[in-house]
Amino acid sequence: MANKFLKAEKLFGLIGHPVGHSMSPVMHNDQFERLELPYFYHAFDVAPGELKEAVKGMRSLGFSGFNVTVPHKVEVMQYIDEINEEAQMIGAVNTVVNTNGKWIGYNTDGKGYVESLLSKTGKKLHDYNILVIGAGGAARAVVTSLYRYGVKSLAITNRTISKAEDINKNLKEGPGVEILNKEEAEQKTNHYDLIINTTSIGMAPDINTTPWKTEALKSGCLCSDLIYNPLKTTWLKEAENMGADTLNGVGMFVGQGAVAFELWTGIWPDIERMTDIVLEELGRK
Ligand code: ATR
């Protein structure tokens, strides 16, 4: 039987290492199929040291765009033609678009996360006092995008305070964010409407560890974990038991994919369908 993708008119891809477990190909290809777009998305395992050649290869092969994941999100910035403002502030690129032969880099992680939050909170997000736990790459994207969106207050707590300070330095305009050590942030737990875990604490296989106490949460607090393996972390379970609202990491994953999809095709995809596909894939793994 003929494979209809032999006729793909546009090619998209993911470059990372490793990429074997990525859910992006099935998520994007399903949307292409549903929208009857003759496009194809494939994951490429690109070893560290091979990135420059890989990007060059994508260009010669006429790719229309690609995603970039760990460990290449920072290095890839050297090999493309332009970087949009938000990606510059975040200091990493996860989506590249071929615009009339020019590679333009974006970061859809933070924007995708804000999209997933908005579907839960609506415009109330503007009135939220928010605490972000962690100051790595994911925190950088989340903090930058929330800051640009505009929230009531934003604080970061991290084991290594200097990394939180670095994130703050990159936020160009406005008052910046508050940097707190763990004790200071813990004392203010009941001040926050939204607490976001961006660290790997609680991720499989260490599923019994938790990033934050749930005893002193503000009533109605939303606890959001960027982890999606497991789908419901011990921290989210504890928060739920304390009466808090929760959000798992699938929202951010789907959100970043949806924003990338829109950049490539001009079409906002079916988020619910993408979420179902990702949940199905996670169930299989
Ligand atoms: P990612 O790109 O997923 O954000 P990362 O850049 O490696 O990953 O960042 C991991 C974050 O989790 C960091 O904020 C890290 O804290 P440090 O900056 O102090 O290293 C945090 N983290 C990971 N394991 C942790 C642990 N056991 N306790 C506290 N923080 C931890």
Side-chain angles (χ1 to χ4, degrees), residues 70 73 133-140 157-161 163-164 182 197-201 203 226:
V70 178
K73 288 185 186 185
I133 308 163
R140 197 175 270 270
T157 184
N158 192 43
R159 182 175 59 182
T160 313
I161 287 286
K163 284 203 207 162
K182 189 162 189 195
N197 174 40
T198 71
T199 75
S200 48
I201 304 170
M203 190 188 289
L226 301 193

Side-chain angles (χ1 to χ4, degrees), residues 120-142:
K120 187 103 184 160
T121 66
K123 292 221 165 88
K124 279 189 299 181
L125 187 57
H126 283 302
D127 301 323
Y128 276 24
N129 293 308
I130 302 174
L131 174 67
V132 175
I133 308 163
R140 197 175 270 270
V142 161

Side-chain angles (χ1 to χ4, degrees), residues 133-153:
I133 308 163
R140 197 175 270 270
V142 161
V143 168
T144 304
S145 298
L146 282 171
Y147 190 77
R148 284 164 68 91
Y149 176 78
V151 295
K152 195 166 171 194
S153 76

Side-chain angles (χ1 to χ4, degrees), residues 15-16 46-58 66-69 71-79:
I15 50 184
V46 175
E50 297 290 331
L51 182 63
K52 189 175 180 182
E53 290 304 312
V55 173
K56 239 175 154 177
M58 300 258 230
F66 57 93
N67 281 136
V68 188
T69 189
H72 302 312
K73 288 185 186 185
V74 177
E75 191 188 337
V76 75
M77 295 170 87
Q78 299 170 41
Y79 312 132

